[in-house]
Amino acid sequence: MQPSGYTPTPDLSRATTLPAHWYVDPEYLDVEKQRIFWRTWQAVGHADAVAHAGDYLACEVLGEPLVVVRGEDGVLHAFSNVCRHRASIIAEGQGTCRALRCPYHGWTYGLDGRLLGQPEFEGVQYWDRSSVCLPAMPVETWGPFLFVRLDPGGPPLAEVLGDIPREARRLGCDLDRLRFYQRKDYLLNCNWKVYVDNYLEGYHVPVAHPGLFRELDYSRYRVETHRYYSSHYAPIRPAQGDPERRYTSDGAAALYYWIFPNFMLNIYPDNLSSNIILPLGHDRTLTIFEWFFPPEHLAPDSGVARRTLAFSDEIQIEDIKLCENVQRGLRSRTYDTGRLSVKRENGVHHFHMLMHEFLTA
Ligand code: FES
Ligand SMILES: [Fe+2]
């Protein structure tokens, strides 16, 4: 299937949005899985789950079962979590082990992925145990996150992240000190790209997020696009004693990043949150929000964590309604494509260009 109906143009003043059928035709998701989700770094869990030799973590990328293990030599590996015998899932959850043992017939695999043993297999012809190995794929960590890419080839994680690690440090957010605090899932009745589009512009903030609008200096809000990510500069307005305001650190900035295709980072001086956007179907999307705080803000009497979560929840509920409305509109027989604000929607345009690039590659 070849995606159709979108003519990419680098000139935002002439660009259109992606055609509606890219969001409502179920066939697009299959193509997106193979050409986008398998070819990009996907956040699959927390780095501290595999901090020590022998640690393993079972995870998946859009239904593809994986296991990340740290070998005896300290090297991190990601393997297919599918047994080479008759395809059972091997590892579940997380833990520590010396070898991975399939729960079906007991084949065991070393932490390097090689088959170590299989009961009662004498006499099998044209089969060489030493050549049996769980397929491996690239795995990397950054701060509290663990990333895997299903297809080999493509840029290393550091190249994809570009200047993000340096900018986070400059803001005062020390990623290596952050500890996982809480996860919250939201289910949306919309295509995953509708949610991403919504994240990528501040254009809707004055109308749709009154609480957030109070916090931000909207006139200085801007989006900068890079090769594989965009950064959203959203300066916080001075509080001037307003008790309603969440952020009072005058002049402090927040950094928002979107990393192609489905990972978002919201970085504040005192915390970080990530959003992972996972398609469950062409019109069903799971968004996973996770919060990370430095240890001193995880103390039970700290109100910072609680206030941050409540504020985020308010914005998310507003966004869900917007996104589900858009999905309904995209199904209309009267709508195909729209146009973009040159001043405010360059991030959306950048995403659409990347979508086209990957889907037609
Ligand atoms: S399926 Fe794994 S040992 Fe049989
Ligand atoms: Fe929003």
Side-chain angles (χ1 to χ4, degrees), residues 83 85-88 102 104-107:
C83 183
H85 177 221
R86 279 187 21 231
S88 170
C102 179
Y104 200 175
H105 311 94
W107 286 27

Side-chain angles (χ1 to χ4, degrees), residues 181-198:
Y181 174 67
Q182 200 168 312
R183 164 176 170 158
K184 186 151 186 185
D185 292 2
Y186 300 87
L187 274 169
L188 284 77
N189 291 314
C190 69
N191 184 268
W192 69 278
K193 299 187 292 298
V194 170
Y195 188 85
V196 173
D197 286 345
N198 171 75

Side-chain angles (χ1 to χ4, degrees), residues 82-90 101-109 115 117-119 121:
V82 177
C83 183
R84 299 298 108 184
H85 177 221
R86 279 187 21 231
S88 170
I89 300 299
I90 303 167
R101 185 163 187 267
C102 179
Y104 200 175
H105 311 94
W107 286 27
T108 52
Y109 299 86
L115 182 62
Q118 67 295 320
F121 229 57

Side-chain angles (χ1 to χ4, degrees), residues 198-199 201 204-205 209 212 315 319 322:
N198 171 75
Y199 182 91
E201 43 89 358
H204 69 282
V205 171
H209 297 304
L212 180 62
I315 298 168
D319 277 328
L322 301 171

Side-chain angles (χ1 to χ4, degrees), residues 13 19 22 35 41 78 93-94 101 130 135 149 160 171 177 190 198 211 217-218 240 244 267 301 305 337 341 353:
S13 70
W22 289 39
R35 298 186 194 162
W41 290 101
Q94 65 183 83
R101 185 163 187 267
S130 67
R149 193 184 52 218
V160 172
L171 184 71
R177 286 189 68 238
C190 69
N198 171 75
D217 183 351
Y218 181 70
Q240 289 160 342
E244 294 277 283
I267 305 179
D301 61 341
T337 61
S341 160
M353 295 284 283

